[in-house]
Amino acid sequence: MRFASAWRPSSSRAMGLIDKFKRTFVTPIVEEKEEGVAMARSLRETGEAALAHMEALCSLLKLELEEASQRLGKKMLLLLAGAFMAVFGYLFLWCLLTMVMAHFWGVIAGFAVTAGFHLLVAAAAFIMFSRIHVTPIAPATAEELKTDLSCLQMALKKSSHS
């Protein structure tokens, strides 16, 4: 009977032991649970905020890319129109020069000079083209990718044998 009365909540000694028990064992566990829940909630909220931020950045990037593509489209259209007109301008300029040379030197000489000039420039361009040696693009990166591929293949073989 004495033991039961010692643990009754009405006893001041019993309250002290229960409080000490709560402070020592129960409260830290509850606080740890609450901290874990709070940390999980904080991480979830941070992740949601990061995702919302990334969505906003992606939509901004999409708008900027659309605007840039419209500007580049207009620029490309103007470049093509200019190149088209330049080709015909070049053609008619040489027609004019050929006619002037034909007037002063004769028709055959005028056409010969025009054709000779264009054939010499074309030959020089082809010779220069053939002398340019093209090396692989990004050889160091390609070598690294080959090494990575061989390591991956070895790891796959090793894991398949295990």
Side-chain angles (χ1 to χ4, degrees):
M1 190 72 162
R2 210 160 124 212
F3 180 73
S5 67
W7 287 100
R8 243 187 265 150
S10 62
S11 166
S12 65
R13 181 175 173 210
M15 288 301 275
L17 288 175
I18 291 173
D19 288 341
K20 187 173 184 181
F21 177 76
K22 282 183 180 178
R23 281 193 308 267
T24 306
F25 297 107
V26 177
T27 305
I29 292 171
V30 171
E31 287 176 356
E32 284 178 12
K33 276 188 173 180
E34 289 174 357
E35 285 178 15
V37 169
M39 181 178 284
R41 185 179 335 113
S42 175
L43 286 173
R44 186 181 65 246
E45 289 171 356
T46 303
E48 289 172 356
L51 284 175
H53 183 69
M54 288 301 296
E55 286 176 359
L57 285 177
C58 286
S59 62
L60 177 63
L61 177 64
K62 182 182 174 186
L63 287 174
E64 289 179 335
L65 288 176
E66 287 173 358
E67 291 173 0
S69 68
Q70 288 175 354
R71 282 193 309 272
L72 288 174
K74 289 177 184 175
K75 194 170 185 171
M76 182 59 80
L77 182 65
L78 291 172
L79 177 67
L80 289 174
F84 180 78
M85 297 309 274
V87 166
F88 280 102
Y90 179 82
L91 178 70
F92 288 126
L93 175 66
W94 275 101
C95 286
L96 174 67
L97 290 174
T98 304
M99 289 174 64
V100 169
M101 288 185 282
H103 177 70
F104 289 109
W105 301 334
V107 173
I108 294 176
F111 280 111
V113 169
T114 301
F117 173 77
H118 283 86
L119 289 173
L120 284 175
V121 170
F126 285 132
I127 290 169
M128 290 171 57
F129 171 80
S130 67
R131 290 186 180 174
I132 295 175
H133 298 287
V134 179
T135 59
I137 298 172
T141 303
E143 205 53 44
E144 279 297 318
L145 288 173
K146 285 179 187 176
T147 304
D148 292 347
L149 180 62
S150 65
C151 289
L152 183 60
Q153 287 172 339
M154 288 187 330
L156 287 173
K157 283 181 185 177
K158 188 176 182 181
S159 68
S160 68
H161 292 303
S162 299

